[in-house]
Amino acid sequence: MNFQQSFKGAKTAGTLFLVPTPIGNLDDMTFRAVKILLEVDLIAAEDTRNTQKLRNHFEISTPQESFHEHNSWLKIPKMLELLQSGKNIAQVSDAGLPSISDPGHDLVKACIAENIDVVALPGASAGITALIASGIAPQPHIFYGFLPRKKSEQVAFLTEKRDYPESQIFYESPHRVVATLENLLAVYGNRQLTFVRELTKIYEEYRRGTISEVISSIQENPIKGECLLIVAGSDEVKADDLSDLTDLAAVTALIAMGEKPNVAIKKVAKDRGLVRQELYQAFHDL
């Protein structure tokens, strides 16, 4: 059992701060994030060259040290030693929230094991930022990050996730995105998808449509830069297939398929001869 009170009580060690950085536009850096980077004793950076640009822009003189997937096993003991001596460390990735696509998670686990406080700052996240403007149902959703690179492994992965009702978020390289989309089309069918490129930057763009439409669009207008794919969840479960579910479970299933809560409640109430207001109150636990 690990119990942490981040800002109360006497501290016997330093704090590991997980500090989000902009995903493209430096104006997205928060005041608190800058303040923490100025105040900590060390910045653990995924790529010191990228973080140096951030340090220069915000006039941050705090020393930094590389901390990435190839040296994390060597650096974590040193980081723990500094934290245990009372020093504070900020961990940053190249862009967005740390500890997702970098070794920050290993450092977090190591700190928790040693009862060292871990404090996360809110900030930019490419996946969620793209999702809420995608036009694809924002909830429920699943974030997967980068897909396997080999075709056979990617197809196997997608086949396993094909019937999930949740919207799915993937990162992808511009060099592999068409091949990935073709695999998605083959496994998922021609469902709705939003392709997002260069989020928050001057060339930011969204291409919304079916998977085949987005493939054609990219083939006609080649792309560069950071890419995300927001894929609609499976809608294979039709309203007629909900008869074995309870009233509330049927409402939840329709919402997972992309319906708005009130629309789902209205449909279930109508199909089952229920009083809509009573079902609404039951769903919202009023």
Side-chain angles (χ1 to χ4, degrees), residues 194-270:
T194 297
F195 167 83
V196 186
R197 182 177 77 88
E198 290 292 85
L199 201 58
T200 78
K201 301 176 186 177
I202 190 67
Y203 293 109
E204 174 181 298
E205 65 180 37
Y206 289 77
R207 303 190 192 189
R208 306 176 177 95
T210 62
I211 295 176
S212 63
E213 288 173 337
V214 173
I215 290 174
S216 296
S217 174
I218 295 175
Q219 288 174 335
E220 294 171 4
N221 300 282
I223 52 91
K224 296 179 180 179
E226 303 289 337
C227 302
L228 294 100
L229 302 173
I230 313 294
V231 189
S234 172
D235 62 356
E236 290 302 310
V237 180
K238 305 299 182 183
D240 293 343
D241 299 327
L242 304 177
S243 57
D244 292 335
L245 301 180
T246 65
D247 298 335
L248 294 180
V251 171
T252 301
L254 286 174
I255 293 172
M257 290 155 51
E259 293 285 9
K260 293 183 178 179
N262 286 349
V263 174
I265 291 168
K266 184 176 180 180
K267 284 185 177 181
V268 172
K270 182 179 179 181

Side-chain angles (χ1 to χ4, degrees), residues 181-195:
L181 287 170
E182 289 173 343
N183 291 336
L184 275 166
L185 180 61
V187 177
Y188 283 22
N190 201 22
R191 67 176 69 171
Q192 290 293 309
L193 175 139
T194 297
F195 167 83

Side-chain angles (χ1 to χ4, degrees), residues 4-227:
Q4 172 180 319
Q5 288 187 306
S6 302
F7 308 110
K8 291 184 178 181
K11 302 297 181 182
T12 59
T15 298
L16 172 66
F17 292 94
L18 305 178
V19 180
T21 54
I23 56 179
N25 191 323
L26 288 176
D27 288 341
D28 291 333
M29 191 73 172
T30 68
F31 291 112
R32 185 184 175 202
V34 173
K35 182 173 181 288
I36 291 295
L37 292 183
L38 286 167
E39 293 177 348
V40 296
D41 299 287
L42 179 69
I43 299 172
E46 182 179 11
D47 187 327
T48 54
R49 294 166 299 180
N50 285 335
T51 305
Q52 184 61 46
K53 298 174 185 176
L54 192 73
R55 293 170 74 233
N56 291 342
H57 185 82
F58 291 104
E59 298 180 350
I60 297 169
S61 58
T62 306
Q64 63 170 334
E65 186 167 328
S66 67
F67 180 72
H68 50 72
E69 61 179 333
H70 302 297
N71 69 5
S72 61
W73 63 274
L74 183 64
K75 294 295 181 75
I76 286 178
K78 178 182 178 180
M79 301 289 177
L80 291 177
E81 185 177 339
L82 287 171
L83 289 162
Q84 288 166 334
S85 72
K87 303 294 186 182
N88 295 319
I89 296 176
Q91 195 243 326
V92 299
S93 67
D94 288 347
L97 292 169
S99 194
I100 294 178
S101 297
D102 59 57
H105 179 58
D106 294 329
L107 180 57
V108 169
K109 289 193 298 182
C111 286
I112 292 172
E114 297 295 329
N115 290 313
I116 295 169
D117 287 354
V118 179
V119 174
L121 276 64
S125 171
I128 298 300
T129 302
L131 174 65
I132 61 174
S134 68
I136 305 294
Q139 60 175 333
H141 67 264
I142 300 178
F143 171 80
Y144 287 118
F146 285 98
L147 284 161
R149 293 190 178 190
K150 292 183 178 179
K151 180 176 180 178
S152 60
E153 294 177 0
Q154 188 177 104
V155 169
F157 179 91
L158 293 173
T159 300
E160 182 182 338
K161 315 300 180 186
R162 177 183 57 204
D163 297 327
Y164 285 20
E166 297 88 356
S167 301
Q168 300 174 14
I169 305 171
F170 301 108
Y171 291 162
E172 191 50 282
S173 158
H175 309 294
R176 297 191 299 267
V177 70
V178 171
T180 294
L181 287 170
E182 289 173 343
N183 291 336
L184 275 166
L185 180 61
V187 177
Y188 283 22
N190 201 22
R191 67 176 69 171
Q192 290 293 309
L193 175 139
T194 297
F195 167 83
V196 186
R197 182 177 77 88
E198 290 292 85
L199 201 58
T200 78
K201 301 176 186 177
I202 190 67
Y203 293 109
E204 174 181 298
E205 65 180 37
Y206 289 77
R207 303 190 192 189
R208 306 176 177 95
T210 62
I211 295 176
S212 63
E213 288 173 337
V214 173
I215 290 174
S216 296
S217 174
I218 295 175
Q219 288 174 335
E220 294 171 4
N221 300 282
I223 52 91
K224 296 179 180 179
E226 303 289 337
C227 302

